[in-house]
Amino acid sequence: MATGNINVSVENIFPLIKKFLYSDHEIFLRELISNATDATLKLKHLTDIGEAGGVEYDNPKIEVKIDKENNTLHVIDQGIGMTKEEVEKYINEVAFSGAEEFLEKYKDSAKDSGIIGHFGLGFYSAFMVANKVEILTKSYKDEPAAHWVCKGTTEFTLEEADKKDRGTEIILHINEDDKEFLEEARIRELLTKYNKFMPIPIKFGTREESLPLPEDAPEDAKPETKTVDDIINNPNPAWTKQPTELEDKDYKEFYRELYPMQFEEPLFHIHLNVDYPFNLTGILYFPKLTGNMDIQRDKIQLYQNQVFVTDNVEGIVPEFLTMLRGVIDSPDIPLNVSRSYLQADSNVKKIASYISRKVADKLKSLFNNNREDFEKKWNDIKIVIEYGMLSEDKFFKKSQDFALYPTVDGKYYTYAELEEKIKDNQTDKDGNMVILYASNEDAQHSYVEAAKAKGYEVLLLDSPIISHLLQKLESEKEKISFARVDADHVDNLIKKEDDKISKLSDEEKEKLKTDFETVVPKEKYTVQLEAMDSDAAPLIITQPEFMRRMKEMQQTGGGGMFGMGNMPEMYNLVVNTNHPLISEILNTKTAKKQERLIKQSLDLAKLSQNLLKGEELTAFIKRSFDMVK
């Protein structure tokens, strides 16, 4: 029997592993299964190239077993195994990695063999939960088996063993504080979380399977059952296949496999498959999205050679796509040794850029191939596209081919189509094209109707980030501006000619302004006198586009003007000096009646903007009943 010291460059690697190397104890199982997969794939590669000395690959599997009586957890593979010398080299000399040397030796033929390459330090994560670890291993070469034992110090024992089957068994003697890892439910949860799509079948116990009944079986016949291995993973998930091998139903089935608690089907999918300048495969799904941007995050799962790494894909996937769902798998994503944190790297930027481009191409293709269906799905996907237009210039440019601008009448235009449609009628006297929009069709109904009466198109733009997007569009396009229909009287939103003539003299207007300012609260309303058509409303409440947009931008994060998000709401009260009611208010003999008319008119204007609430609404109803008695 040999004894010795593990060759590491620090006094004792174990405290380092437990405190700093791994952020979460539970990943020890992921690492051990990865190593077992690694060893199995190495054997497959050697048999494929005829260097395994006549050994058959023969569909091996990995088995995980719990032995509660002996407080042990076993991970058993039927892979390449190790000789005593290889255990000495790969387990004791931590600075080496078996997989790295293997890849170097067979670098030309092993490029696509899927070897993970984390045997060195990955194995030692076992000591986070075990006070003693054993390795029983027999190489595919015709050499004796080896038995390695270590109790979490730098000392170990290594001797020959009588194991007959090829492969490796890791035996973990679980710490008193980590007994949770001897519970079947906990181990099943970890296997499902980290190893659900590993490329080698993983057995965890057995299950009963019903056999089909013969055709002539009586009605009350019960099917026979047989005991089969409980294979907890799907070794060939959809993203590892070519798009030509899959149909729409396969993608939908895989979505349900990824998200068993998600009952709505995805709107569409995007299959990623690239091998230059980096390796990346995956499937992204557009789910139905609500207006809440934050609740959707962390739904994309990141894998490295089918090993689950994280569902926090920030940095790898462009931020605007983190609201999607699906899987991305890449061996080229640089992670630290615990695979918990992404390392800054130029490849990561290339990956994010590729994904963004691929998504844009897919959206353009969907739009071109079936515009009607794309329009139906627009409200469910627009938040992602609008966020992308805001955050990425390249995506913004590509989005011009498929980003839609819906109207209150249910029509959908691309920007080029919208411009062509409205440029003649909605260009003001200074040559600027004004695009009118509503954010709430019901609340802004009277303003929408006034604009439509002029023959204007009114868009319906109601995303939470729309103010930011409009700012971006105005900076990218020439001589255009967006105005919400309630930002001013419609004649002021698109000025076609010089001001209309007022029926009131300057003295009358001065008096009228004073009368209104006496009654209307100054802290909320700025009184403006405007000469409008006599059949336009007598009073209109508007909120200036710039001020309102700056407030909205700051409230939804970024942009806007400092401190504006917390400013109280301010409105303009536009008084139509050409309306008969306004002349009546001006000429009313008693101050009391004049005040009542102003309050009633103001409340009606507020009612049209959904601003009349609580005590003010109660007073308005009482006053209205008094006036009609």
Side-chain angles (χ1 to χ4, degrees):
M1 178 174 81
T3 62
N5 286 323
I6 296 167
N7 181 15
V8 288
S9 56
V10 290
E11 173 58 27
N12 191 339
I13 195 171
F14 301 102
L16 185 69
I17 287 169
K18 290 181 181 182
K19 285 185 182 176
F20 306 113
L21 192 56
Y22 291 97
S23 55
D24 194 341
H25 280 199
E26 69 177 36
I27 57 84
F28 81 91
L29 190 59
R30 177 192 72 187
E31 295 299 309
L32 295 181
I33 300 266
S34 295
N35 293 340
T37 303
D38 210 12
T40 310
L41 290 173
K42 283 180 183 177
L43 181 68
K44 183 178 189 304
H45 184 66
L46 291 177
T47 56
D48 286 349
I49 63 172
E51 288 204 20
V55 172
E56 294 291 321
Y57 183 65
D58 201 26
N59 300 318
K61 59 179 174 277
I62 296 164
E63 183 173 8
V64 178
K65 289 199 300 192
I66 294 169
D67 182 349
K68 276 195 172 183
E69 198 174 315
N70 293 304
N71 286 334
T72 56
L73 180 68
H74 303 243
V75 178
I76 305 157
D77 70 58
Q78 299 164 353
I80 196 171
M82 288 181 283
T83 64
K84 194 173 167 188
E85 289 72 26
E86 286 167 339
V87 172
E88 177 76 50
K89 182 173 184 180
Y90 298 135
I91 299 300
N92 298 338
E93 297 183 14
V94 176
F96 290 95
S97 163
E100 281 177 20
E101 185 184 90
F102 184 88
L103 279 174
E104 182 61 33
K105 186 175 177 183
Y106 297 106
K107 60 185 173 186
D108 293 329
S109 59
K111 199 174 356 179
D112 300 316
S113 58
I115 293 159
I116 293 158
H118 280 265
F119 196 85
L121 286 170
F123 164 74
Y124 279 94
S125 65
F127 286 97
M128 291 191 298
V129 299
N131 50 49
K132 174 178 161 185
V133 177
E134 300 180 61
I135 302 173
L136 268 172
T137 182
K138 179 168 174 58
S139 172
Y140 74 100
K141 301 169 189 171
D142 188 19
E143 292 195 32
H147 184 201
W148 179 92
V149 182
C150 179
K151 291 185 177 178
T153 69
T154 53
E155 295 178 359
F156 67 88
T157 62
L158 177 59
E159 59 187 338
E160 286 188 9
D162 60 358
K163 177 176 165 64
K164 299 288 185 285
D165 302 327
R166 181 197 69 243
T168 300
E169 178 175 3
I170 310 289
I171 306 165
L172 283 73
H173 296 260
I174 301 296
N175 294 328
E176 196 63 37
D177 292 345
D178 294 294
K179 289 288 181 68
E180 65 182 284
F181 299 113
L182 293 172
E183 297 300 325
E184 183 179 330
R186 180 72 169 119
I187 295 300
R188 187 175 292 277
E189 175 199 343
L190 294 184
L191 291 172
T192 304
K193 177 177 178 180
Y194 291 109
N195 307 107
K196 189 176 180 180
F197 299 111
M198 292 291 278
I200 307 298
I202 300 168
K203 175 187 174 184
F204 185 52
T206 58
R207 61 185 175 83
E208 295 301 307
E209 191 174 84
S210 296
L211 296 170
L213 286 167
E215 286 183 19
D216 58 352
E219 268 188 45
D220 58 350
K222 290 185 178 176
E224 288 185 36
T225 60
K226 66 172 180 176
T227 302
V228 296
D229 291 345
D230 190 2
I231 303 298
I232 59 95
N233 62 322
N234 171 5
N236 301 297
W239 83 81
T240 63
K241 300 171 184 174
Q242 291 297 318
T244 50
E245 299 174 52
L246 300 166
E247 296 177 9
D248 197 46
K249 69 177 177 64
D250 298 314
Y251 287 106
K252 286 176 179 173
E253 281 172 12
F254 181 57
Y255 183 76
R256 282 191 287 274
E257 196 175 346
L258 282 173
Y259 309 106
M261 300 308 291
Q262 182 63 39
F263 302 112
E264 280 191 334
E265 289 196 338
L267 298 167
F268 50 83
H269 64 267
I270 297 167
H271 198 134
L272 305 168
N273 197 343
V274 65
D275 53 18
Y276 181 82
F278 45 80
N279 282 300
L280 177 95
T281 54
I283 300 170
L284 295 180
Y285 293 93
F286 268 76
K288 284 191 174 184
L289 294 172
T290 66
N292 187 334
M293 291 163 60
D294 296 323
I295 205 168
Q296 311 293 342
R297 302 294 174 85
D298 297 342
K299 297 292 185 185
I300 295 175
Q301 299 173 11
L302 174 66
Y303 287 76
Q304 201 176 49
N305 288 320
Q306 293 176 240
V307 182
F308 175 77
V309 176
T310 181
D311 58 8
N312 179 6
V313 293
E314 192 179 335
I316 300 159
V317 173
E319 189 180 358
F320 74 97
L321 294 177
T322 56
M323 290 178 278
L324 302 189
R325 293 183 180 150
V327 165
I328 287 171
D329 189 333
S330 175
D332 294 335
I333 293 171
L335 300 160
N336 69 1
V337 72
S338 73
R339 310 188 210 194
S340 303
Y341 304 106
L342 184 71
Q343 307 292 299
D345 184 85
S346 61
N347 256 356
V348 173
K349 287 179 184 167
K350 287 178 191 168
I351 287 170
S353 177
Y354 166 78
I355 292 170
S356 177
R357 190 174 74 248
K358 186 78 175 175
V359 168
D361 291 345
K362 176 72 172 184
L363 290 167
K364 182 180 177 181
S365 156
L366 288 165
F367 175 78
N368 289 342
N369 293 339
N370 191 341
R371 176 165 179 164
E372 187 181 349
D373 185 58
F374 192 83
E375 288 179 358
K376 284 178 188 170
K377 291 172 177 171
W378 177 253
N379 280 332
D380 292 314
I381 63 173
K382 66 184 176 188
I383 190 78
V384 175
I385 295 170
E386 290 171 352
Y387 191 15
M389 290 168 71
L390 260 178
S391 56
E392 282 201 9
D393 285 338
K394 283 182 182 175
F395 187 84
F396 178 87
K397 288 182 175 67
K398 281 180 170 282
S399 73
Q400 302 307 295
D401 294 326
F402 55 78
L404 293 176
Y405 298 84
T407 72
V408 291
D409 297 322
K411 298 173 191 163
Y412 290 84
Y413 298 108
T414 62
Y415 184 82
E417 291 166 348
L418 179 68
E419 187 175 39
E420 187 61 32
K421 172 81 175 168
I422 70 170
K423 66 182 179 185
D424 293 336
N425 196 29
Q426 291 182 219
T427 299
D428 66 16
K429 62 188 179 72
D430 298 319
N432 296 307
M433 189 174 76
V434 182
I435 303 169
L436 301 179
Y437 72 99
S439 58
N440 185 320
E441 193 178 354
D442 289 335
Q444 293 143 21
H445 184 266
S446 61
Y447 299 88
V448 170
E449 290 304 305
K452 284 167 71 175
K454 294 271 186 183
Y456 298 153
E457 286 284 353
V458 180
L459 302 182
L460 181 59
L461 305 176
D462 55 5
S463 298
I465 55 170
I466 202 64
S467 296
H468 296 271
L469 183 59
L470 300 186
Q471 207 75 3
K472 166 93 173 172
L473 286 161
E474 287 171 345
S475 67
E476 293 285 336
K477 311 283 184 187
E478 287 186 9
K479 298 203 81 170
I480 70 141
S481 65
F482 285 83
R484 204 167 83 176
V485 283
D486 58 348
D488 207 334
H489 179 255
V490 67
D491 288 340
N492 287 340
L493 292 175
I494 308 178
K495 273 198 174 289
K496 294 287 191 179
E497 55 192 44
D498 293 332
D499 294 339
K500 281 188 169 63
I501 297 169
S502 174
K503 292 178 181 177
L504 305 183
S505 66
D506 289 344
E507 291 79 11
E508 286 174 318
K509 283 194 279 189
E510 197 63 43
K511 179 181 182 309
L512 184 68
K513 196 165 192 285
T514 304
D515 292 340
F516 266 87
E517 286 177 343
T518 305
V519 178
V520 174
K522 289 186 180 65
E523 66 277 7
K524 271 196 173 181
Y525 299 96
T526 302
V527 177
Q528 287 179 202
L529 304 185
E530 293 275 353
M532 297 186 272
D533 292 336
S534 58
D535 58 355
L539 293 184
I540 300 173
I541 293 174
T542 64
Q543 196 171 19
E545 178 73 17
F546 175 76
M547 292 287 286
R548 193 205 70 252
R549 202 189 293 180
M550 290 299 113
K551 272 177 68 71
E552 287 173 353
M553 285 170 67
Q554 194 166 39
Q555 285 164 353
T556 53
M561 292 174 66
F562 180 73
M564 202 170 272
N566 297 319
M567 279 180 63
E569 294 287 350
M570 285 292 294
Y571 300 92
N572 291 333
L573 180 64
V574 183
V575 180
N576 180 2
T577 59
N578 288 339
H579 196 281
L581 176 60
I582 300 305
S583 297
E584 187 183 336
I585 289 171
L586 178 66
N587 297 317
T588 299
K589 301 299 181 193
T590 66
K592 191 172 181 182
K593 184 181 177 185
Q594 186 184 61
E595 181 183 342
R596 195 173 72 219
L597 281 172
I598 291 173
K599 278 187 175 177
Q600 189 72 2
S601 303
L602 173 62
D603 284 352
L604 285 165
K606 285 160 81 172
L607 197 61
S608 75
Q609 272 278 46
N610 203 28
L611 294 171
L612 198 59
K613 293 170 184 172
E615 191 179 336
E616 289 182 337
L617 179 59
T618 305
F620 166 74
I621 293 168
K622 184 177 184 303
R623 189 188 322 115
S624 299
F625 280 132
D626 289 343
M627 290 176 78
V628 296
K629 275 180 185 174

